[in-house]
Amino acid sequence: MKDALHNIYRNQSLIYKTFLFICATVLMVYLFPKAGKFKYEFQKGKPWQYDNLYAPFDFPILKTKEEVEQEKEAARSDFVPYYTYNANTIAEVIGMYKKEYPGFFQNKNLQRAGQEFLTRTYTNGLIADDEPLPESRFINLVKGNEVSTLDKEKLIRMGQLQKSLFDYLEERGLSAYEDDFYRLFKSIVEPNVALNEKLSEKALNEELNNIYTTKGTIEKGKRIILNGEVVEGEKYEVLRSLEREYESHLWKGTNYYYILFGYIILITLAFTMLFLFLWKYRPYILQNNTKVTFIFVNIIVMVFATTIAVKYDGSYVYVVPLCILPIILKAFFDPRLGLFVHVLTVLLLGFIVPNSFEYVFLQIIAGMVTILTVSELYRRANLFVSVGQITLVYMITYFAFTVIHEGNLENFVWLNFGMFALNGLATLFAQPLIYIYEKLFGLVSDVSLLELSDTNSKLLKELSDKAPGTFHHSLQVANLAEAAANEIGANAMLVRVGAMYHDIGKMNNAIYFTENQTTGVNPHDEISPAESAQIIINHVIDGIEMARKNNLPDRIIDFIRTHHGTSTVYYFYKKQLQNDPETDEEEYRYPGPVPFSKETAIVMMSDAVEAASKSLKNPNYGAINDFVEKIVSKQIAAGQFLNANITFKEIESVKKVLKRKLTNIYHLRVEYPE
């Protein structure tokens, strides 16, 4: 049991990565669309590149969305709405007429004429002025349980009542009573026909639902297309119908499990490629569980966002700012990893999006442009300029695809340019997202490095106050290291910041370090070499503690840990040997580790050269050259760069830069005559 727990503890990193791998694969399979993938890839306007295709089963020819929408629009325009006829209204109005009539007239003939007018008016129906009527000529009039079709012109609007009354009375020679009759009718007449919205909506929906989405059937064995034929017109529609029918049938019965198994294999293969890339080219990232988790989280977030867009509307897939992925990975790691992960993610998304070839081509090109253009994110204008270039590439590539497919610009959807513009605006969210990721995953970007390089920051200000000599030394090392990093293509900003903080541990015992001794008194003269060596070695441990207390990123702490590697405090070791020849050298050795990146190796070389350069009595070209060669060769011989991914050629380049910079620093002016 104890051995088993020990093995688990020893392999916890591997166990975690395996668990992450499995969880990511399961989540990706869940996000993938539950539909099969048609085994033929075709595009409108392009030749059919496969063998002659025959119908594998009977299937219907589907109408296009435009055709179905046109039929629905025609159904809406031809639809005859339903109006309800209220038969009780006429009885109520005539009753009120008989009651009010004696107050206006006493003549029986006039009473009969008015009642006849009301009966005739209400026979077809009286409708309010604000009641809508259809564009079509007829309406369906519902009287009780019967429905009849009526010419809408036979209905009388309330606003037409006066004219209709005057025409009626004029026919009967009763024009003298027009005003009195109108005043009477105006007070009692009410509409008896109104639109029945519920019944009309129900009937319209039934008509729309009855519209067929198919226009014929292809029988099994019928030839669909020959090799080399251009996919267009009816052939394109038949192929699209076969694709839809094929994909809808795949996820039935045992096919479901086979397709799931296929998805698992492909996703596993993609993630395996990612792990192999990290193992071969970025082992320091693979060893860090947080960084590996960060990469997988970003991939899953992009797949999730694209899945949501596709489910809502396939055309919105271009609004998803996929180029945020390479921007973020480049900001935290390097361009090569950013492009590799971006391409891998785009290939996975090819299973989700429509027109997968176009999408993959478009996004890979955009990703390349992102890697090539986005740089120095701490400069605010750079991101805006890069996003503008990315958006322009999206638009140009989409335009080219449309021209190839359609052969003209008649069907070009200009609205998609607006989607690419929205994509660009969403890509600008990379800046705040980088800040969020820094807090969530403890990573550091160039933006944070720029903030840390401010000499007015709390820690550097404290260093300049407590150990001004060390502060000046750190600035000199930063200048040397930054120039060397630029020469070999390392992260110059990271190197500069690491160099500025590498000696902060000297603040605890500043006076014990030569650069801070201004009085000529050396406190090491009062203590033993062993104690002196321990104070010197402890500045590394003290620096790490101070850095963690002040929440410096781990990437900066790495410079504090490695800037002396596993070298010895040689001066005090030799001094102690004079007192005790059997002195153990390990007691005078820094705890390490040795540098494990180009950046930490550069700072080690720059620190050693700058510190030792103070001992040069007569600096000249030859002395500086021999001096730098001696120090760096000694570090190489001690195996300080064995774990750093820096080549001998790059070390030679670093040495040249250090020699040039030191020559500039120590170059003596010509002596001017007095």
Side-chain angles (χ1 to χ4, degrees):
M1 182 65 181
K2 186 177 180 179
D3 291 340
L5 292 175
H6 177 70
N7 288 332
I8 292 174
Y9 178 79
R10 188 176 59 185
N11 298 306
Q12 58 179 327
S13 180
L14 179 61
I15 294 171
Y16 174 79
K17 291 182 181 68
T18 304
F19 176 74
L20 179 65
F21 186 101
I22 294 172
C23 288
T25 302
V26 171
L27 189 56
M28 290 284 285
V29 171
Y30 174 77
L31 291 175
F32 269 28
K34 300 302 181 288
K37 195 73 176 175
F38 194 46
K39 59 183 177 180
Y40 301 109
E41 186 77 26
F42 61 91
Q43 293 180 337
K44 189 176 182 181
K46 292 288 188 71
W48 180 256
Q49 299 176 347
Y50 307 95
D51 293 336
N52 300 345
L53 180 63
Y54 298 87
F57 45 75
D58 295 344
F59 66 93
I61 303 174
L62 300 175
K63 295 178 182 176
T64 64
K65 288 183 179 180
E66 292 75 17
E67 289 176 329
V68 174
E69 194 56 41
Q70 286 176 2
E71 290 189 22
K72 287 184 177 181
E73 194 59 37
R76 290 188 188 96
S77 61
D78 296 339
F79 177 68
V80 180
Y82 287 81
Y83 289 77
T84 302
Y85 181 92
N86 191 343
N88 297 326
T89 304
I90 185 171
E92 294 173 359
V93 170
I94 289 177
M96 293 177 65
Y97 170 74
K98 290 179 178 180
K99 181 179 178 181
E100 299 292 333
Y101 178 80
F104 289 84
F105 308 104
Q106 299 297 325
N107 190 315
K108 293 284 187 181
N109 291 331
L110 289 178
Q111 183 181 7
R112 282 195 297 273
Q115 187 169 335
E116 182 183 341
F117 171 75
L118 289 174
T119 302
R120 191 173 74 173
T121 298
Y122 277 107
T123 298
N124 289 325
L126 186 64
I127 189 169
D129 292 327
D130 59 352
E131 196 72 50
L133 284 173
E135 295 181 3
S136 58
R137 181 178 177 182
F138 299 97
I139 64 169
N140 287 317
L141 197 61
V142 181
K143 294 183 177 180
N145 295 326
E146 296 182 358
V147 179
S148 60
T149 302
L150 178 70
D151 190 332
K152 68 179 182 180
E153 298 299 327
K154 293 184 178 181
L155 293 175
I156 298 176
R157 290 278 191 185
M158 288 290 291
Q160 299 171 338
L161 182 65
Q162 184 178 14
K163 183 179 182 306
S164 180
L165 174 64
F166 288 0
D167 290 345
Y168 172 80
L169 294 176
E170 189 175 351
E171 287 178 8
R172 285 160 178 70
L174 302 174
S175 299
Y177 304 101
E178 289 176 351
D179 293 337
D180 292 330
F181 266 116
Y182 181 67
R183 280 189 286 110
L184 172 59
F185 288 157
K186 187 178 179 181
S187 62
I188 63 173
V189 169
E190 293 180 359
N192 73 325
V193 174
L195 175 66
N196 191 325
E197 293 184 2
K198 288 186 178 180
L199 184 58
S200 297
E201 184 178 355
K202 181 180 178 181
L204 176 60
N205 288 335
E206 287 180 357
E207 285 194 27
L208 295 177
N209 291 334
N210 287 333
I211 292 176
Y212 289 106
T213 57
T214 62
K215 52 179 180 182
T217 303
I218 299 294
E219 296 180 355
K220 181 179 179 180
K222 184 177 180 181
R223 188 181 67 198
I224 297 175
I225 192 168
L226 298 176
N227 175 262
E229 280 192 281
V230 178
V231 179
E232 59 182 357
E234 184 179 350
K235 288 184 173 61
Y236 177 74
E237 294 178 7
V238 172
L239 285 171
R240 292 288 292 175
S241 301
L242 176 60
E243 181 181 30
R244 291 279 298 275
E245 191 72 14
Y246 184 87
E247 291 178 350
S248 65
H249 277 75
L250 273 180
W251 285 79
K252 293 181 179 178
T254 57
N255 289 353
Y256 177 88
Y257 300 103
Y258 281 110
I259 295 174
L260 274 183
F261 182 65
Y263 273 161
I264 291 171
I265 291 175
L266 291 176
I267 295 170
T268 300
L269 184 62
F271 285 159
T272 301
M273 292 302 104
L274 176 57
F275 272 106
L276 288 175
F277 176 87
L278 295 176
W279 175 71
K280 187 169 181 62
Y281 298 107
R282 302 294 183 273
Y284 64 94
I285 293 178
L286 185 61
Q287 292 167 7
N288 190 312
N289 288 340
T290 301
K291 292 178 180 179
V292 175
T293 304
F294 172 75
I295 294 171
F296 273 91
V297 165
N298 276 278
I299 294 174
I300 292 170
V301 166
M302 287 302 166
V303 173
F304 176 75
T306 306
T307 303
I308 295 298
V310 170
K311 286 184 177 180
Y312 184 76
D313 189 334
S315 60
Y316 288 166
V317 72
Y318 293 113
V319 179
V320 179
L322 202 64
C323 286
I324 281 183
L325 183 60
I327 290 175
I328 289 175
L329 293 178
K330 183 180 178 182
F332 287 117
F333 303 115
D334 61 86
R336 189 176 179 185
L337 176 62
L339 183 60
F340 186 88
V341 174
H342 176 74
V343 171
L344 207 62
T345 305
V346 171
L347 292 176
L348 288 173
L349 291 176
F351 293 101
I352 299 175
V353 298
N355 300 322
S356 56
F357 172 77
E358 294 177 21
Y359 180 85
V360 169
F361 183 89
L362 185 67
Q363 294 294 358
I364 289 178
I365 291 295
M368 291 179 178
V369 172
T370 303
I371 293 297
L372 294 173
T373 60
V374 175
S375 61
E376 298 180 332
L377 282 175
Y378 55 87
R379 300 184 187 276
R380 289 174 294 181
N382 285 12
L383 182 61
F384 285 92
V385 173
S386 298
V387 167
Q389 293 171 333
I390 293 166
T391 304
L392 182 62
V393 167
Y394 270 130
M395 292 179 176
I396 292 173
T397 310
Y398 176 77
F399 177 83
F401 271 119
T402 303
V403 171
I404 291 171
H405 292 166
E406 301 294 338
N408 55 59
L409 295 178
E410 294 178 4
N411 299 322
F412 188 81
V413 183
W414 296 98
L415 180 63
N416 286 338
F417 275 10
M419 292 187 181
F420 292 130
L422 289 175
N423 183 302
L425 291 175
T427 305
L428 292 175
F429 187 68
Q431 196 72 278
L433 195 60
I434 287 173
Y435 176 79
I436 294 171
Y437 278 144
E438 285 180 334
K439 300 304 177 185
L440 287 177
F441 292 92
L443 301 172
V444 59
S445 68
D446 285 352
V447 180
S448 295
L449 291 175
L450 182 65
E451 295 174 356
L452 290 169
S453 67
D454 183 5
T455 54
N456 288 315
S457 64
K458 178 185 174 183
L459 204 52
L460 292 180
K461 194 74 173 174
E462 187 179 357
L463 179 63
S464 67
D465 291 338
K466 292 183 177 180
T470 300
F471 177 72
H472 179 72
H473 159 72
S474 297
L475 291 180
Q476 290 283 65
V477 173
N479 292 332
L480 292 173
E482 183 179 21
N486 284 323
E487 183 70 20
I488 66 171
N491 189 333
M493 178 67 74
L494 177 62
V495 165
R496 181 173 184 82
V497 176
M500 293 177 74
Y501 286 91
H502 80 283
D503 266 346
I504 57 173
K506 291 182 179 180
M507 283 191 286
N508 281 357
N509 296 288
I511 195 64
Y512 284 89
F513 297 90
T514 309
E515 66 266 23
N516 299 312
Q517 296 170 2
T518 58
T519 61
V521 177
N522 190 344
H524 288 291
D525 295 338
E526 306 298 327
I527 59 178
S528 67
E531 291 175 313
S532 296
Q534 198 58 48
I535 291 173
I536 300 299
I537 291 172
N538 281 346
H539 89 273
V540 173
I541 309 300
D542 294 340
I544 294 172
E545 291 177 357
M546 285 182 186
R548 286 177 175 161
K549 185 178 179 181
N550 286 272
N551 297 317
L552 288 186
D554 287 339
R555 292 179 76 183
I556 305 303
I557 297 175
D558 288 340
F559 289 90
I560 302 173
R561 296 166 57 215
T562 62
H563 73 277
H564 284 297
T566 56
S567 61
T568 58
V569 187
Y570 194 69
Y571 175 81
F572 292 109
Y573 172 62
K574 294 296 288 185
K575 191 174 180 181
Q576 180 64 19
L577 281 177
Q578 296 173 3
N579 301 328
D580 182 8
E582 296 182 2
T583 300
D584 185 2
E585 186 179 358
E586 294 302 316
E587 296 178 5
Y588 291 80
R589 191 178 298 281
Y590 284 97
V594 296
F596 45 79
S597 66
K598 289 181 183 180
E599 289 77 13
T600 51
I602 290 170
V603 170
M604 171 182 262
M605 287 185 273
S606 302
D607 177 49
V609 167
E610 202 286 329
S613 68
K614 300 294 191 299
S615 64
L616 287 174
K617 295 179 180 179
N618 296 307
N620 54 54
Y621 292 104
I624 290 174
N625 181 76
D626 295 341
F627 164 74
V628 172
E629 288 289 345
K630 179 181 177 182
I631 290 179
V632 176
S633 296
K634 186 177 179 181
Q635 290 175 333
I636 294 174
Q640 299 299 315
F641 305 134
L642 290 178
N643 291 341
N645 58 337
I646 188 168
T647 64
F648 283 114
K649 182 179 179 180
E650 289 170 334
I651 292 175
E652 288 299 318
S653 298
V654 171
K655 288 194 292 186
K656 287 180 182 179
V657 172
L658 294 177
K659 293 171 186 176
R660 185 176 70 246
K661 297 292 286 185
L662 286 175
T663 300
N664 293 335
I665 293 171
Y666 291 106
H667 181 65
L668 299 177
R669 294 185 180 183
V670 295
E671 189 172 341
Y672 292 96
E674 295 184 1

